[in-house]
Amino acid sequence: MTKGADLLVAALESEGVKRIFGLPGEENLDVVESLRNSRIELILTRHEQAASFMAATQGRLTGRPGVCLSTLGPGALNFTTGAAYAHLGAMPMLMITGQKAIKSARQARFQIVDIVGAMRPLTKMTRQIVSAASIPTIVRDAFRVAVEERPGPVHIELPEDIAAEQADVALVPPHPIDRPVAPASALDRAVAMILASKHPLIMIGAASNRPRLVEPLSDFVRRCRIPFFNTQMGKGAVTGGSNLYLGTAALSERDYVHDAIDCADLIIAIGHDTVEKPPFLMSQIGGPRVLYVGYVSATVEEVFHPDAEVVGDIGATVTALADRLDGALVPDPDILALRREILGHINERADSDQFPVIPQRLVRDVRAVMPEDGIVCLDNGMYKIWFARNYRTHVANTLLLDNALATMGAGLASAMAAKLFDPHRRVMAVCGDGGFMMNSQELETAMRLKLNLVVLIVEDRAYGMIRWKQAVDGFADFGMTFGNPDFVKYAESYGARGHRIAAAGELVPTLEAAFAAGGVHLVVVPVDYSENTRVFVDELGGRAPETEPG
Ligand SMILES: Cc1ncc(C[n+]2csc(CCOP(=O)(O)OP(=O)(O)O)c2C)c(N)n1
Ligand SMILES: [Mg+2]
């Protein structure tokens, strides 16, 4: 006979789980005791939201579910934002929450919330475990569902009496599963469309950024020699082939990269997930045709309605397409002619010495201190658009940004998870002064874990992105500004190191020294956001009739 909590932990071990992020409560004590006797590391956080962001990010980086643990009611509710983050972002994650005993009710309804119900719209699967004997099956199913395309979060609730219950049952071992591949007829149709087009263009979308796709996708681009651009969450998915890279569609229209889209007669949209802010807007008539390549069917939207689909394992699809197209195409000179111009605009003003620094300089300087495989993890704010647009990536998953839920507060937690994922790579969190303060307590976790981490705080003493949109829409400047703590002292109070940038030229040496010294560093850089309007409204807005800010 085995106790329910021991069965749960044994099942997690058999799924290859090495660590669990969490903040336990009384109802998890059996599970915590089982973890103490296991090989799994418990990584304690200071807020459940951070634990869920960390688990989701681990899932995003590894392709295997990250696991997080919380108590019932209040703790479990703090997972909901992380659940939505993983659900919209297609990140495999398992959330385990406690619950009061279900066979008796000695505390009546104290702290009881219907968490299984609350998680329903936020997960791919949510279940209460009602008998210890069912634990192996439910855990196995949860892992299967979480990684299956389209991946996402799953939730299981383990009541405390079930955690303590004894059962005589064996584990269900994981078994290999292959992803279904697209039928030959779909591949034939796709090849015919590509060969018939004069100006084909590849768009790399969010679902391209799966760890297993790096090689087949990069190979596909190199062999077919079709110019490509990416969505925000598709950044880095293609390594090499950079002479074909045209830029990132961080805005929906009117950016320079849209000149290439306007020139194209066919867009091969690989892994596009319409949770992302549209990388371009399809009109009902005219415009390029769209060939969608994805693991699962495309969603049809007002602004995205493909003309053909190849549904199946993306890796297998692009390899099959490359085999058929190899040598048949030459890079389109018309689109390549636009490339120099598009990338030239992106580099404009990047060397400005202005202080407070302008976003273009900020992005350039961060790129300068990050090696190709370094990972930059963004929170959500105005700087995200600048990073998405201007930061060049050469390796998959090296700019972790959230263009799906686009929640504030995940930057630091995702950077911590990235550092745990690969301690040998440089990792930097870039947060606004608003977003950083939403989960800044996790500096203690980072210190306790002895992480080498640089946190760059972009300071404008405001919810800058909303303040900017308020101005663009002609509203009065109201309700968006705040004061900040002394971030240097704040860092020091955690035992971390704090730095305040006082001139543009200090940024690179300060970041470099912070990485060289190791430990946790908070670097505050005052930003001048007047470039938002100058570039996104005045410069780009003048290129087309409509005005739609970032
Ligand atoms: C949890 C959450 N609350 C509110 C928003 C709406 N929002 C998007 S960006 C933003 C401002 C972010 O401010 P800050 O972190 O300081 O970055 P800045 O834009 O100033 O650079 C707000 C309030 C959000 N995306 N997520
Ligand atoms: Mg701000």
Side-chain angles (χ1 to χ4, degrees), residues 49 81 379-384 405-409 431-436 438 458-467 480 482 527 529:
Q49 195 182 81
T81 305
D379 206 280
N380 262 278
M382 193 64 214
Y383 54 87
K384 184 180 82 175
L405 183 65
T407 181
M408 293 165 72
C431 307
D433 43 5
F436 172 73
M438 283 194 180
V458 182
E459 186 180 58
D460 65 342
R461 296 193 168 85
Y463 293 121
M465 182 171 196
I466 312 301
R467 188 184 192 201
M480 299 297 164
F482 47 70
V527 69
Y529 269 150

